[in-house]
Amino acid sequence: VKEGTHHQLTYIFLNVLRGELDEDERVIVDKDVSGYYEELKLQAGEFVFRKNTYPDAFFVVTRGSVAVPRNKKGGMPSMLLSGAGAIEQTRTLSSPDLLGAIAGDKRTSVESFHKVGGIFGYCDFLLERYRTFEAVSSEDDTIVATFTKSSMDKMKDENRPLYHIVHNLLLRASLMDLANCTCHN
């Protein structure tokens, strides 16, 4: 599976960075990224990580999707920016039993979905703070590319150009989150 994921990651990086890479940088990503991540394959309902755990990695969805359940402690509702102003984002899972075991009920409210190309878990990872939310696979055979601190340190030592590209990717992802007010606590 990793060979297919490798090419998928290259496409995702190029798409998120929207043409900011020159031809040499594209070759670096395509040729070199495979040595710096591990794949995690999940079934529906399996956690990628839990809230209040150490942020040992950030993740990129390469197959399937990951859901972030809404924080049950209240707080501000999720808002999206639109031409009509700020509107509340309300989503529930389409499958009634997908996260029922987690929530203890049959209609779990979801803060956000990360589908193929979704990048998540990087804010806590970069800030080195315990996870402020949890993430769970929302369908069977979901695959996420897992970039750990040690793999990023290795990348920084061995391939600084790729390291800078990945950090640019995370910066772009965080800007997209901020623009849409979808950051998790």
Side-chain angles (χ1 to χ4, degrees), residues 12-84:
I12 291 166
F13 282 26
L14 295 175
N15 188 46
V16 171
L17 293 171
R18 300 194 197 279
E20 291 182 17
L21 299 178
D22 63 31
E23 190 57 37
D24 291 339
E25 291 170 323
R26 289 173 192 230
V27 170
I28 289 169
V29 171
D30 193 46
K31 180 180 156 231
D32 297 340
V33 74
S34 65
Y36 298 104
Y37 69 91
E38 296 294 325
E39 291 181 342
L40 179 61
K41 185 173 182 180
L42 302 153
Q43 301 306 310
E46 287 186 88
F47 282 93
V48 179
F49 57 80
R50 291 190 181 263
K51 187 174 180 178
N52 296 320
T53 57
Y54 183 76
D56 55 351
F58 70 90
F59 307 88
V60 181
V61 180
T62 60
R63 183 188 303 161
S65 63
V66 172
V68 175
R70 187 174 299 279
N71 186 349
K72 293 187 181 204
K73 292 182 181 178
M76 297 296 291
S78 288
M79 303 299 282
L80 293 176
L81 301 178
S82 76

Side-chain angles (χ1 to χ4, degrees), residues 15 20 27 42 47 59 79 100 106 110 113-114 118 125 160 165 174 183:
N15 188 46
E20 291 182 17
V27 170
L42 302 153
F47 282 93
F59 307 88
M79 303 299 282
K106 296 293 182 187
V110 173
F113 281 100
H114 298 281
F125 175 79
R160 190 149 310 238
I165 291 167
S174 65
C183 288

